[in-house]
Amino acid sequence: MKKIKVLLADDQAILADGIKSVLAAYEEIEVVGIARDGFEAIALTESCAPDVVLMDIRMPNMNGVIATQEIKRRMPAVKVVILTTFDDSDYILNAINNGASGYLLKDTSSSALVDAVKNAYAGDTILPAKIARRIADAARMVTSDREIKLKRAFSLSDRETEIALMIYEGFTNKQVAAALKLTDGTARNYISTIYVKLGAAGRTDAVEKMRDTITG
């Protein structure tokens, strides 16, 4: 059986050691290293080739968001799950928009942590309900001016406008689905309809058309 190789990145030794002990109890998981800051996380990811990195956000020298971005740039196949005590939407959006596969709080249960490692390895997006609600709330925190401009310009429904603005803010299809509790297929259908209404050839074109409309 192939073990899932996990790298921990956390400057708080007692927490990192505790997480390592939890994961070590599962024979299908192997902890291959512990990084104390973002620089070490990048270096150990290159040398240890983990499948999943559990990344703290607030670390000295280089924070977890920047380290995540750099790891995904160099080694895009590596899955990064943010594991932190902070649950404000800015951190959530920054981490996920910089390539993280998901976001977990450090008060999560041992079983949920292990499930998150397995699910991230399998390619899933890890967003607990509490976190998904915050992302959805953040996505809704847009000015009515933006909403009105998009609705008038492209005859979008309320839901289509909400999703269009999420696309504009950089959400992927999976992140839209997770945040709004939609199936991946339903999210794709909404996004396809939005592209048609915008007359857009794809995501980049859609974002450009929305930017022109919002800022024009």
Side-chain angles (χ1 to χ4, degrees), residues 162-179:
E162 182 178 27
I163 293 173
L165 285 166
M166 292 175 77
I167 293 169
Y168 182 73
E169 295 295 339
F171 281 67
T172 66
N173 291 15
K174 277 186 171 292
Q175 289 162 13
V176 170

Side-chain angles (χ1 to χ4, degrees), residues 5 7 32-33 39-50 74-75:
K5 296 190 292 183
L7 174 70
V32 295
F39 288 111
E40 281 192 9
I42 295 167
L44 288 176
T45 299
E46 289 187 317
S47 62
C48 298
R74 299 186 190 188
M75 295 148 284

Side-chain angles (χ1 to χ4, degrees), residues 6 22 35 39 55-56 80 94 114 117-118 126 131 146 165 170 174 182 192 201:
V6 177
V22 168
F39 288 111
M55 180 79 75
D56 189 18
V80 180
N94 277 337
V114 172
V117 169
K118 292 178 180 178
I126 315 303
I131 300 299
R146 280 182 172 185
L165 285 166
K174 277 186 171 292
L182 304 173
S192 295

Side-chain angles (χ1 to χ4, degrees), residues 126-147:
I126 315 303
L127 287 173
K130 178 180 178 182
I131 300 299
R133 282 196 300 273
R134 284 182 175 271
I135 289 181
D137 290 344
R140 294 187 188 102
M141 288 178 63
V142 293
T143 63
S144 59
D145 182 55
R146 280 182 172 185
E147 295 177 0

Side-chain angles (χ1 to χ4, degrees), residues 145-156:
D145 182 55
R146 280 182 172 185
E147 295 177 0
I148 290 169
K149 283 182 175 180
L150 289 181
K151 284 181 180 179
R152 286 179 176 172
F154 304 112
S155 300
L156 300 177

Side-chain angles (χ1 to χ4, degrees), residues 17 21-22 30 32 50 75 77 98 142 155 171 183 194 210-211 214:
D17 291 343
S21 296
V22 168
E30 176 187 3
V32 295
M75 295 148 284
N98 278 290
V142 293
S155 300
F171 281 67
T183 65
I194 291 166
M210 285 189 276
R211 183 180 295 113
I214 290 170

Side-chain angles (χ1 to χ4, degrees), residues 1-16:
M1 176 183 68
K2 182 187 183 301
K3 291 191 174 186
I4 302 172
K5 296 190 292 183
V6 177
L7 174 70
L8 306 178
D10 197 317
D11 63 308
Q12 294 180 289
I14 191 167
L15 289 176

Side-chain angles (χ1 to χ4, degrees), residues 51-55 64 68 71-72 78-82 99-102:
D51 300 302
V52 178
V53 178
L54 291 178
M55 180 79 75
T68 295
I71 286 170
K72 294 300 292 184
V78 175
K79 310 299 183 184
V80 180
V81 176
I82 299 298
S101 295

